[in-house]
Amino acid sequence: AQSVTQLDSHVSVSEGTPVLLRCNYSSSYSPSLFWYVQHPNKGLQLLLKYTSAATLVKGINGFEAEFKKSETSFHLTKPSAHMSDAAEYFCVVIYMEYGNKLVFGAGTILRVKS
Amino acid sequence: EAGVAQSPRYKIIEKRQSVAFWCNPISGHATLYWYQQILGQGPKLLIQFQNNGVVDDSQLPKDRFSAERLKGVDSTLKIQPAKLEDSAVYLCASHRMNTGELFFGEGSRLTVL
């Protein structure tokens, strides 16, 4: 079955240190992959998306992600965490060959320590 | 480009009452999704439409929830009768096939008392 696995439910980093949020997806011919951020009581904000163009995708607020087909991964990174990055992050995949099935990961809560 | 419009943004009802949410996707987006997000949880798919046809409604509680997408454009999601556990944010999203882009509305927050 088509799935999205976010390997960490919680990640804690110190301000100014790198962030790595991991996401793996089910093998797919042509997935569309997204990272969304959700601050408390707020809506989903798109950070970045991969839709079969460059494998290294740059998003907003200094985030980027690399699509690795051989590893079926789409990990989100940021070189230096800021306090305002504290939020919940969702990896989302659309499986085009399965009727555009949209699957959410379970989410990763990022905590940034001062 | 206008985004995905949802209304109402907030609704408070008592249990056993009914409620309806409306979603207007981005023009030309054939795929429309409704998600339920309970506080502290990730979004859960309720129903997926392709144009005006249902692709997946396997997780829609059909005894109380219904959804339609007349003419393949806007959509309504109805809950009747509501239960306490239906308190959640209801998210609508639309998908553009040729670019694979995905857009979410701001959501409709339901509180059932």
Side-chain angles (χ1 to χ4, degrees), chain A residues 37 45-48 58-64 76 78 85:
Chain A
V37 61
Q45 181 184 17
L46 178 65
L47 283 177
L48 47 80
K58 294 188 184 296
I60 63 171
N61 301 335
F63 284 95
E64 61 181 42
L76 181 71
K78 183 173 180 177
D85 294 328

Side-chain angles (χ1 to χ4, degrees), chain A residues 34 36 38 49 51 99-100 102, chain B residues 33 35 37 48 100-102:
Chain A
F34 308 80
Y36 284 85
Q38 188 173 41
K49 62 182 184 290
T51 54
N100 297 317
L102 193 168
Chain B
Y33 311 86
Y35 280 83
Q37 187 175 22
Q48 176 188 343
E101 293 182 330
L102 176 66

Side-chain angles (χ1 to χ4, degrees), chain B residues 3-25:
Chain B
V4 176
Q6 289 191 246
S7 67
R9 291 291 314 278
Y10 303 92
K11 188 74 176 178
I12 301 174
I13 62 174
E14 296 190 349
K15 59 183 179 183
R16 291 188 289 274
Q17 288 186 322
S18 63
V19 63
F21 301 112
W22 174 81
C23 171
N24 190 16

Side-chain angles (χ1 to χ4, degrees), chain A residues 32 34 36 38 40-44 46 49-51 88 90 92 94 96 98-107, chain B residues 31 33 35 37 39-43 45 48 50 55-56 91 93 95 97 99-106 109:
Chain A
S32 290
F34 308 80
Y36 284 85
Q38 188 173 41
N41 297 310
K42 299 292 186 183
L44 291 163
L46 178 65
K49 62 182 184 290
Y50 167 80
T51 54
E88 187 162 19
F90 291 98
V92 176
I94 294 180
M96 303 278 209
Y98 295 104
N100 297 317
K101 182 171 184 177
L102 193 168
V103 183
F104 272 84
Chain B
T31 310
Y33 311 86
Y35 280 83
Q37 187 175 22
L39 186 65
Q41 299 180 19
L45 177 68
Q48 176 188 343
Q50 185 72 21
V55 175
D56 184 355
L91 295 165
H95 178 232
M97 290 191 65
T99 61
E101 293 182 330
L102 176 66
F103 297 88
F104 282 88
E106 289 289 316
R109 183 179 298 275

